[in-house]
Amino acid sequence: QVQLVESGGGSVQSGGSLRLSCAASGYTASDYCIGWFRQRPGEGREGVARISADGADTYPNFLKGRFTISRDNAKNTVYLQMDSLEPGDTAMYYCAADLSARSYCYQDIARYKNWGQGTQVTVSS
């Protein structure tokens, strides 16, 4: 049974950093695409990073290089390092797996069928 568990959220001031973790079980996280998504209050979910089986990472342009996704294969865990946080980054953050994609990770959120429960990030000004 595929399970994803996020952790590492919290409250920080603007300009601060957080590292989120996504611990995977029931499958090998390095075999498929994993993405990080967020849902801001009153909005739909949007992707903020994804990593392929061969380690290629992709980010939306609006992040301007502030977030970095990485993976520790030994721990079967994917991370999201978030730097220069802004109040607009306040959201619930989720990791999700696309178990039908390996080398190319699609942006289409509907492809990600397995989700964690989320971890809250709050950035104050």
Side-chain angles (χ1 to χ4, degrees):
Q1 179 181 354
V2 175
Q3 188 174 15
L4 301 172
V5 179
E6 302 95 335
S7 61
S11 297
V12 296
Q13 290 191 328
S14 182
S17 297
L18 279 174
R19 188 178 79 156
L20 307 183
S21 298
C22 171
S25 61
Y27 85 112
T28 301
S30 59
D31 285 348
Y32 300 97
C33 289
I34 280 189
W36 280 98
F37 302 82
R38 69 184 183 187
Q39 186 165 15
R40 293 185 283 191
E43 299 184 12
R45 293 185 185 183
E46 63 180 353
V48 296
R50 50 193 190 268
I51 187 167
S52 70
D54 56 10
D57 52 353
T58 308
Y59 309 90
N61 291 335
F62 66 80
L63 284 178
K64 301 178 183 178
R66 298 186 296 114
F67 291 8
T68 305
I69 190 171
S70 63
R71 187 175 60 217
D72 185 330
N73 294 341
K75 295 182 178 180
N76 212 30
T77 298
V78 176
Y79 302 97
L80 183 68
Q81 177 68 40
M82 305 187 295
D83 298 317
S84 302
L85 284 163
E86 305 167 352
D89 295 319
T90 294
M92 184 71 80
Y93 284 74
Y94 302 88
C95 61
D98 179 355
L99 301 184
S100 59
R102 294 178 183 266
S103 297
Y104 180 80
C105 299
Y106 295 88
Q107 188 176 355
D108 183 3
I109 195 171
R111 294 182 59 95
Y112 295 81
K113 306 294 187 183
N114 301 90
W115 290 78
Q117 83 289 348
T119 185
Q120 177 68 38
V121 172
T122 302
V123 185
S124 58
S125 57

